[in-house]
Amino acid sequence: MDKILISGNWACGEAAIRAGCRFYAGYPITPQNELTEYMAEHMRQAENGTFIQAESEIAAVNMVLGASAAGARAMTSSSSPGISLKQEGISALAADELPAVIVNMMRGGPGLGNILPSQGDYYQATRGGGHGDYRTIVLAPASVQELADLTMEAFDLADAYRNPVMILGDGMTGQMMEPVVFGKPRPRRYSEKYVLKGCGAGKSRFVRGLILDALRMEEHNWKLVRKYNVIAQKEVRFETFRTDNAKLVIIAYGIAARIAKGAINRLRDSGYRVGLIRPITLWPFPAQILRDTAERIGNFLVFEMSTGQMLDDVKLALDGRARVSFYGRPGGVVPTPAELAKAIVQEYQR
Amino acid sequence: MKKVFARPTSLKDTPFHYCAGCGHSITHRLICDAVDQLGIRGITIGVPPAGCAVLAYNYFDFDMLEAPHGRGCAVATGIKRTLPDRVVFSYQGDGDLAAIGTAETFHAANRGENITVIFINNAVYGMTGGQMAPTTLLGMTSTTSPPGRSAPLDGHPIRMSEILARLDGTAYIERCAVNSPQNILRAGRAIRKAFQYQMDGAGFTLIEVLSQCPTNWKMTAAESCRWVDEVMAKTFPVGVIKDIGKGEKHAD
Amino acid sequence: MQIKTVFAGFGGQGVLMMGYSLAHAAMNEGLHVTYLPSYGAEVRGGTANCTVAVSDEEIASPVASQPDFIVAMNGPSLMAFQTRIAPGGAFFLNSSIVEGRPNRADVTVFEIPAAGIASELGSPRVQNVVMMGAYVKATRLVSADTYLKSLKSILGGRKKAAMDVNRKAFSAGYDSID
Ligand SMILES: Cc1ncc(C[n+]2csc(CCOP(=O)(O)OP(=O)(O)O)c2C)c(N)n1
Ligand code: SF4
């Protein structure tokens, strides 16, 4: 297969189309416009492909809800402020148990913030984001190749668990270009019985999230939890990097993990024993590997391009088993590996 | 010698960040002229949008409150209901007002909120790089309508002013242009009149401005001025769309 | 080997295209590569830059702490990056436009009158390709042959005449340094 040099935003769009996504609705917002624009150009060329520039992010995600219920592999994308607007729809997708892929190329916030790469939406992504007891699977790519791969996989996960899946990138993942080889998508496995297409002569069905009876609503909640427990057991993904004989381990995801690798390579060259654990699924969070690592290593440093959000999950996972410190750069600042290395050395020497 | 042309006092002495030939800068100046002429700088509160005019507070030298994308009319409503004796206006692009903010705009107009909206129609999303707007003309290319806007797939250009004019709450709506000295003078008078209506408690007023975006139209400034007359005004004819006549004494 | 280069200049000088074409050529030589453009407000403000990392192994960070090479197409770019360039690194200056010189003694400086050469060729727009000719010769990150092939595939459908002038620009830049 051919290697092509492609930006994250385009690779994500191309991977989605290759994975059989045939419905995309979006709304312009920087730094993910190239993804919407890619879909405008290519989705309508795909067989039965629909592209709609919606009037808002709220409309876009609800179009996806409709398309998903009607059987299409459906996707929407945005960046932080737009993702806030999509939360109502994401909550509805989770309640209705409908598959969908939502891409967030995060930018600096809160509010309008700026358009630079940031990681301030971790809480929103991993805690459900909208109202009610639910979870979305959250995938955090660190390279354009991984973004393409995870986009394809996101559709399979969404179908398998009939649940929204979020791809959590950032401005840099979307804008940077790297060589990509597109993988082969798996054939779709999604039972027709979930597709709403008119009952014909058969029994009619409905898809809904409103369950007025408390006990039945409670049972729906526990049913979702049982599903989330399966996901938490089966779908955890992470990468470890140079953790052997490490004295300090960095925890970072997405583009921050790339910067961390750069810092670690520098530090290893000067004899510091540092490594990295990179969560690829942010929910479910790879808690077990952290606990296992804490058996050998007592010093962890969380690095995020935020004021410290994943930090909570690391502390919850370690539950006092190790020392946890934090280095954060919110607001669209992307530190260089050298800057991060400096922060690491300070903690290393404690 | 008598000075006949000067920077309005309510316009800060800061170079605009807008592209050369952009209609935003001209409209900013017209708003400041109107504010100065009515002597209302101290009681004016403006609401800038998400859009190329997001930094409008760098130029307007009166109080400003940023609104989330599309929510200008709701934010302005909140200000006006709290401070009814202030002059409150919202400044919005076509994506902001006629796509994501349609509901807020429509309902503020329907409630007859006593606010003024300056509606910049440049037929594209400027700030985000030239995507299709609700006002993009049929057949017009944009980064999200690469083969040209198609009615069956993308819908038709929305004439917001005409739609809002049908609501009982609206007092005065005019569509202007800023592509020639004559049109600019006319637009300035319309903005002043809208503010005056608001001060007289007339209800919802809106001035739509056909505004050049040479950058995303991929034209020179001069070409874009011509294009407004020759092409854009065919879909969006300029003129008074509604005037309940409340402020007859102010009409030009 | 891991080399990071920053290309910087005014919007309109083809700065992003320089980085993109290098990234493309490096990929075609089987190297690992990341191309990171500046985007948004910076572009509108009239300056643009991009960072290209080229390596024979997986690239950790696409962000450069200390770029090895800086290609400065205008004066402000020299100012912005002269404190960040790695010791022993090299500056490529568009000397027809850049008046200043780096205040660092530990770097090599190549002066290429790229804008002037491009004007002489009758096509000011190809100053970026002139620069790339010099860059490719001095850095040897990719071969001239691979670079030109990549350039051709990037220019794609455009007229043969366009490729001819680009080829000339590349050679002129290539020959402008020893
Ligand atoms: C919720 C949300 N979605 C998207 C954006 C991105 N955005 C910023 S400005 C803008 C629209 C700009 O177009 P328009 O309103 O026509 O104004 P112009 O820039 O043309 O003046 C968009 C979509 C945002 N800031 N917030
Ligand atoms: S992009 Fe268009 S609307 Fe925005 S500042 Fe430039 S000319 Fe004006």
Side-chain angles (χ1 to χ4, degrees), chain A residues 124-188:
Chain A
Q124 188 195 52
T126 57
R127 267 58 185 169
H131 63 282
D133 264 323
Y134 75 95
R135 294 289 192 175
T136 48
I137 299 173
V138 183
L139 308 173
S143 68
V144 178
Q145 179 68 58
E146 193 177 40
L147 172 54
D149 295 343
L150 288 179
T151 301
M152 290 191 174
E153 201 172 343
F155 285 96
D156 294 336
L157 287 169
D159 282 349
Y161 297 103
R162 293 194 293 127
N163 203 67
V165 176
M166 179 172 284
I167 294 176
L168 195 67
D170 61 85
M172 192 176 288
T173 335
Q175 298 286 328
M176 72 183 185
M177 289 191 179
E178 291 181 329
V180 168
V181 179
F182 287 99
K184 235 180 99 129
R186 278 185 286 268
R188 188 177 194 196

Side-chain angles (χ1 to χ4, degrees), chain A residues 159-332:
Chain A
D159 282 349
Y161 297 103
R162 293 194 293 127
N163 203 67
V165 176
M166 179 172 284
I167 294 176
L168 195 67
D170 61 85
M172 192 176 288
T173 335
Q175 298 286 328
M176 72 183 185
M177 289 191 179
E178 291 181 329
V180 168
V181 179
F182 287 99
K184 235 180 99 129
R186 278 185 286 268
R188 188 177 194 196
R189 290 173 53 198
Y190 187 66
S191 169
E192 282 285 308
K193 75 174 188 222
Y194 299 122
V195 176
L196 210 57
K197 52 186 167 192
C199 63
K203 209 166 157 272
S204 67
R205 292 198 311 121
F206 49 80
V207 176
R208 55 88 156 88
L210 179 87
I211 305 173
L212 290 174
D213 180 81
L215 288 176
R216 286 178 61 200
M217 186 71 229
E218 183 186 31
E219 176 40 35
H220 185 56
N221 272 296
W222 290 126
K223 178 183 159 216
L224 292 178
V225 167
R226 288 192 290 278
K227 173 167 88 176
Y228 300 148
N229 288 341
V230 176
I231 298 173
Q233 230 168 38
K234 286 173 59 178
E235 306 299 348
V236 172
R237 268 148 243 205
F238 60 86
E239 180 200 351
T240 58
F241 176 78
R242 306 189 80 165
T243 50
D244 41 297
N245 83 16
K247 278 179 61 189
L248 182 146
V249 174
I250 320 289
I251 320 284
Y253 71 93
I255 205 71
R258 291 282 292 273
I259 297 162
K261 281 186 182 178
I264 289 165
N265 286 341
R266 287 169 156 253
L267 290 170
R268 282 263 175 189
D269 287 348
S270 10
Y272 292 94
R273 281 151 49 195
V274 283
L276 170 78
I277 298 176
R278 175 173 75 91
I280 297 171
T281 48
L282 301 183
W283 193 85
F285 188 74
Q288 192 57 48
I289 179 70
L290 295 197
R291 280 185 215 118
D292 294 348
T293 309
E295 311 244 310
R296 298 180 283 126
I297 304 164
N299 204 357
F300 289 72
L301 185 146
V302 179
F303 164 47
E304 294 175 74
M305 279 147 55
S306 76
T307 55
Q309 301 191 8
M310 181 175 68
L311 177 61
D312 290 3
D313 280 337
V314 172
K315 284 184 176 164
L316 279 171
L318 291 175
D319 200 13
R321 288 175 177 84
R323 194 174 162 278
V324 180
S325 55
F326 176 70
Y327 179 68
R329 298 304 297 271

Side-chain angles (χ1 to χ4, degrees), chain C residues 152-160:
Chain C
K152 189 158 179 231
S153 80
I154 293 167
L155 293 175
R158 266 183 255 172
K159 287 195 200 79
K160 193 179 157 292

